[in-house]
Amino acid sequence: QVQHVQSGAEVKRPGASVTVSCRASGYIFTNYSMHWVRQAPGQSLEWMGWINVGNGLTKYLEKFQGRVTITRDTSASQVYLQLSNLRSEDTAIYYCARESIYVASRGTYRYTTGNAFDIWGQGTVVSVSS
Amino acid sequence: DIQVTQSPPSLSASVGDRVTISCRTSHNINTYLSWYQQKPGKVPELLIYSASGLQSGVPSRFSGSGSGTEFTLTINSLRPEDSATYYCLQSYSTPRTFGQGTKLEIK
């Protein structure tokens, strides 16, 4: 079935780096973009960045620029989130999420009505503590 | 960046009630808004896409409306299992931005 399986929990020291993986299955991996979202304890969801899985282009939230890298391995249907120079504030659950595009038709004219995160990974807990 | 303001932060309602949650965006995003439900300790789940499209498998008591800058999630005939935090997300532009969430308690 369509699903994302993420790597296991991580415990890191401040200043270290972490890599979280997300393996996709059940759909054509390169037809979608993949996003990373995190949620600190008791907080809202925070978008971090995304990768166009087909061409590898990435965009990141400005606050993470220089610390975050998203990559993909199309042969393994995996996407990776690397976050460096970890701080205690990076303690959170990290999710990968597939973005689907929704299209409507009016006669022969087709147009996009929106995008949404329809398939999520189970989440990876990253704890940063000295 | 597009700001998303979600309200109320929390609400309490009884089984059978109808509730509405609102999201306002700082720029016109057409219908590029989606709604998610997250239960404690669980992964967020897509409820509504393109402002009003019901995701497959989601009960019809959930509905969404709006376009431009004002959006609403409505839950009719509340059930105990609707107790959760609800988020909206704008996907018109990057960075994507979530609302702050609305925690719904069922009395």
Side-chain angles (χ1 to χ4, degrees):
Chain A
Q1 75 273 29
V2 177
Q3 64 176 354
H4 294 155
V5 178
Q6 297 183 217
S7 50
E10 302 267 8
V11 179
K12 295 291 182 181
R13 299 290 189 205
S17 296
V18 68
T19 298
V20 180
S21 67
C22 170
R23 187 180 77 248
S25 60
Y27 67 94
I28 301 174
F29 182 59
T30 51
N31 282 1
Y32 295 84
S33 60
M34 195 76 84
H35 296 245
W36 286 93
V37 175
R38 76 177 187 179
Q39 187 171 38
Q43 301 300 307
S44 178
L45 301 166
E46 179 177 42
W47 181 85
M48 298 182 69
W50 68 292
I51 186 167
N52 180 316
V53 177
N55 61 24
L57 287 176
T58 56
K59 279 204 171 180
Y60 306 121
L61 187 64
E62 192 171 333
K63 71 179 275 188
F64 296 115
Q65 285 284 357
R67 286 208 302 141
V68 68
T69 306
I70 299 175
T71 57
R72 93 287 195 221
D73 179 347
T74 55
S75 66
S77 296
Q78 294 209 69
V79 175
Y80 305 92
L81 170 76
Q82 182 180 49
L83 189 61
S84 62
N85 193 19
L86 289 167
R87 310 153 185 167
S88 58
E89 311 88 87
D90 295 319
T91 294
I93 302 173
Y94 290 75
Y95 297 101
C96 60
R98 183 183 83 170
E99 185 173 63
S100 283
I101 299 172
Y102 298 87
V103 179
S105 299
R106 191 175 294 144
T108 58
Y109 175 64
R110 300 183 77 217
Y111 58 99
T112 302
T113 59
N115 310 326
F117 296 168
D118 62 340
I119 305 296
W120 294 65
Q122 82 276 19
T124 296
V125 175
V126 175
S127 299
V128 183
S129 174
S130 54
Chain B
D1 297 1
I2 295 177
Q3 310 304 315
V4 179
T5 303
Q6 186 174 341
S7 61
S10 64
L11 73 157
S12 181
S14 300
V15 171
D17 283 355
R18 184 177 93 156
V19 299
T20 60
I21 299 169
S22 297
C23 276
R24 175 178 295 173
T25 58
S26 59
H27 296 74
N28 184 340
I29 63 167
N30 203 336
T31 56
Y32 282 66
L33 189 111
S34 48
W35 292 95
Y36 301 81
Q37 176 192 67
Q38 186 179 33
K39 297 182 179 181
K42 300 295 186 182
V43 179
E45 293 186 358
L46 175 63
L47 297 174
I48 301 288
Y49 62 86
S50 300
S52 60
L54 188 67
Q55 174 69 352
S56 175
V58 174
S60 58
R61 63 179 183 276
F62 291 90
S63 65
S65 63
S67 68
T69 62
E70 302 276 349
F71 302 86
T72 300
L73 173 70
T74 300
I75 312 173
N76 288 301
S77 303
L78 269 179
R79 299 176 62 128
E81 60 264 34
D82 298 334
S83 177
T85 300
Y86 294 84
Y87 296 95
C88 59
L89 166 70
Q90 73 79 19
S91 54
Y92 183 80
S93 67
T94 300
R96 305 287 191 257
T97 38
F98 287 93
Q100 287 304 299
T102 296
K103 186 172 184 178
L104 172 60
E105 176 202 349
I106 310 298
K107 293 179 207 171

